[in-house]
Amino acid sequence: TAESRLLQPEDPFIWKHLSELYLHKGMYGLAEQASRRGLEIVRDADFLLYLANALYGQGRFEDATAWFEEVLRLNPDNLSALRAMVFF
């Protein structure tokens, strides 16, 4: 919840769940913000993937591609990123 973010803004777990929620709801701009905030706390393949999906959802395909590639650099077996790259 927003209250949780205020109480523990440095907890990456909260930002991961917000990113997932916003993506699921099609709120790609907010998903991008939450993912970027999470990346400020910890460089994590999940946040990179959420960011790539948020950018893709906004039609920012070149930006999304760069982040999908970064996910694959960190985790070459990431099926979500591999699937996404098939469409580029």
Side-chain angles (χ1 to χ4, degrees):
T1 65
E3 190 174 281
S4 298
R5 284 187 295 155
L6 294 174
L7 296 175
Q8 298 175 330
E10 298 304 313
D11 184 352
F13 181 77
I14 292 168
W15 295 105
K16 278 189 182 187
H17 284 287
L18 281 172
S19 298
E20 290 175 338
L21 174 69
Y22 291 142
L23 284 170
H24 181 71
K25 293 289 189 179
M27 302 169 79
Y28 300 115
L30 291 172
E32 177 186 357
Q33 290 175 22
S35 299
R36 288 187 187 279
R37 180 65 182 105
L39 283 168
E40 290 174 7
I41 299 167
V42 61
R43 189 152 184 89
D44 177 282
D46 288 338
F47 283 124
L48 295 171
L49 185 61
Y50 299 150
L51 177 57
N53 283 316
L55 295 169
Y56 183 87
Q58 295 175 71
R60 296 167 53 191
F61 304 120
E62 285 185 35
D63 293 335
T65 300
W67 288 108
F68 283 126
E69 289 172 349
E70 181 66 11
V71 171
L72 292 172
R73 188 183 70 73
L74 294 174
N75 181 0
D77 298 325
N78 186 295
L79 292 178
S80 295
L82 287 168
R83 257 192 307 265
M85 293 302 291
V86 168
F87 295 106
F88 290 109

